[in-house]
Amino acid sequence: MAVSPLAAALKKAVGGNDTIQGVKVWLSTGFPPLNKAISGSYRGGFPSGRIIEMFGPSSAGKTLLATQAMISAQRMGGIAVFLDHENSFVSELAAKYGLNIDEDDGQWVYKQPDTFEDSVELTGKLLKTVRENKLIPDEAPIIIVYDSLASMVPRSKFAKMEAGDDLGMNDNTALARATAANFPTLAAWARKYNCCMLFLNQIRTKIGVMFGDPTTSPGGNAPEFYASVRIKLGRSQIKEGSEKTGQSIGAECIKNKVSEPFQRATWDYYFDTDRGFDVIGSSIDHLCEVGILEKSSGYIKYGEKKYRRKELVSFFEERGVEAMLPLFDKAEKKTALVEASEEE
């Protein structure tokens, strides 16, 4: 097709159109139903090249999901970075899940910055060093986890603290100003350097809210605008008798610019580290809910056999969650067929 005089004049003045960047790399959360809620695919997960905010109450599993994403990045030949402002990361536990914490391998960077601005400067320095020197392939992801946004002290406030000034309550907008000034740069770096920036965050309660959800996350409005995905976590207790043994975690994508928003996923987490993140059991429950596994009279049918839930969990634990991927692929096809029929 011939180029019109208008197009020719515009190309001469400002150049051709830039390529719209899609998500090329997805970092698995370790739980396929959550991958589906975030990315629209059971084999997806957190999008690389974007900012993600995940917030919820304490001990809701935010760091665990971040660890699973870091493991995913390392397995793709990428780099995992953890900026620990809360001073709460336990590397030995993360290594138990499969994270490579050997500093000499180069795939693991752990830092404890003093301020919000220190984290931003470290982010820029690391991304430019890795990408401009081509230390890893272009398609290999970099994930940077910030734990947490609420605990990132702005430099202005830190300087007052170091000087011994009385902080009081007179500087409670400092973090909001810092995020507003720096998140545009972080978003540009995430796109330019193919980096997944995962901000973990706490929750706060709005005063005087009579209707709707009174909870919000600290850091001002900038994270809400610049995050492509915002995931809100909730929890309820799991008891065996009178003993509290774990938590049932629920996640909702309250903002999503890479897939359909307001999708949910639920899973169980046990305090016993030998049980921990119940990926297999929670995946079985999900597959029953979507009709891929048939459940009746306390038994679940898989193939030509029927199993008790505990037996089926043991069956897949011996084979790994990878053995369940064909079932999730089947669920993906079923969802696509339903959506196609609804469009007709």
Side-chain angles (χ1 to χ4, degrees):
M1 182 177 177
V3 178
S4 68
L6 173 62
L10 289 174
K11 286 182 180 181
K12 183 177 180 181
V14 299
N17 289 345
D18 293 335
T19 301
I20 298 175
Q21 185 188 33
V23 179
K24 298 178 181 178
V25 179
W26 303 91
L27 303 178
S28 175
T29 64
F31 185 51
L34 181 56
N35 291 345
K36 174 76 171 175
I38 297 170
S39 65
S41 170
Y42 289 107
R43 293 177 181 263
F46 295 121
S48 189
R50 304 295 181 100
I51 293 175
I52 300 106
E53 182 190 11
M54 180 164 57
F55 63 99
S58 61
S59 301
K62 299 182 289 292
T63 305
L64 174 61
L65 294 174
T67 299
Q68 294 291 341
M70 291 192 292
I71 293 169
S72 178
Q74 288 182 340
R75 287 176 177 171
M76 295 181 191
I79 298 172
V81 182
F82 196 93
L83 304 182
D84 190 2
H85 288 264
E86 289 191 358
N87 190 31
S88 61
F89 188 75
V90 182
S91 57
E92 292 77 12
L93 183 58
K96 185 176 180 179
Y97 281 105
L99 184 70
N100 178 7
I101 59 172
D102 187 350
E103 180 181 2
D104 294 334
D105 279 352
Q107 286 191 293
W108 171 241
V109 177
Y110 175 83
K111 292 290 185 181
Q112 290 183 320
D114 288 329
T115 68
F116 177 91
E117 288 83 356
D118 288 345
S119 273
V120 173
E121 291 168 4
L122 194 152
T123 295
K125 187 180 296 184
L126 186 146
L127 291 175
K128 291 174 184 177
T129 298
V130 172
R131 293 305 189 192
E132 291 177 2
N133 294 292
K134 298 191 178 297
L135 301 180
I136 59 175
D138 291 341
E139 65 274 10
I142 300 173
I143 179 170
I144 302 179
V145 179
Y146 305 81
D147 187 20
S148 64
L149 182 57
S151 61
M152 298 171 81
V153 182
R155 188 170 286 166
S156 60
K157 202 166 186 176
F158 187 80
K160 291 181 181 180
M161 182 180 68
E162 289 287 279
D165 292 348
D166 180 21
L167 293 177
M169 297 290 290
N170 60 357
D171 203 17
N172 55 5
T173 63
L175 182 57
R177 296 197 305 272
T179 58
N182 288 281
F183 261 67
T185 300
L186 291 173
W189 283 345
R191 172 189 57 80
K192 182 177 180 180
Y193 297 117
N194 187 27
C195 175
C196 175
M197 297 182 181
L198 176 56
F199 283 85
L200 309 184
N201 209 351
Q202 303 170 10
I203 57 171
R204 299 289 185 268
T205 301
K206 298 178 183 177
I207 298 173
V209 175
M210 303 298 293
F211 304 98
D213 186 1
T215 59
T216 186
S217 56
N221 292 328
E224 297 182 16
F225 283 100
Y226 286 98
S228 293
V229 181
R230 299 185 71 228
I231 305 165
K232 182 179 180 180
L233 301 182
R235 64 180 181 181
S236 60
Q237 292 180 354
I238 298 174
K239 289 187 176 181
E240 294 180 2
S242 60
E243 183 184 1
K244 298 175 183 178
T245 57
Q247 299 181 135
S248 178
I249 309 295
E252 181 182 9
C253 296
I254 62 172
K255 176 184 178 181
N256 199 332
K257 299 180 80 172
V258 297
S259 186
E260 185 179 353
F262 303 110
Q263 299 303 296
R264 300 170 182 260
T266 59
W267 63 91
D268 294 338
Y269 178 81
Y270 294 96
F271 301 138
D272 181 354
T273 56
D274 290 332
R275 298 175 71 182
F277 191 177
D278 185 20
V279 175
I280 300 296
S282 300
S283 293
I284 290 172
D285 294 339
H286 174 82
L287 290 167
C288 289
E289 289 176 9
V290 298
I292 300 302
L293 293 176
E294 183 181 336
K295 185 177 183 179
S296 62
S297 303
Y299 286 89
I300 301 173
K301 185 178 180 181
Y302 174 64
E304 299 300 319
K305 295 182 64 177
K306 290 184 177 181
Y307 300 83
R308 294 283 188 185
R309 183 183 183 278
K310 187 175 182 180
E311 295 172 344
L312 192 56
V313 168
S314 298
F315 176 87
F316 282 115
E317 281 180 342
E318 293 174 359
R319 292 158 178 78
V321 70
E322 292 78 13
M324 304 185 77
L325 290 179
L327 294 173
F328 286 115
D329 290 340
K330 189 176 179 181
E332 196 103 58
K333 292 177 182 177
K334 180 179 179 180
T335 302
L337 289 173
V338 171
E339 291 176 350
S341 63
E342 289 177 351
E343 290 177 0
E344 293 175 0

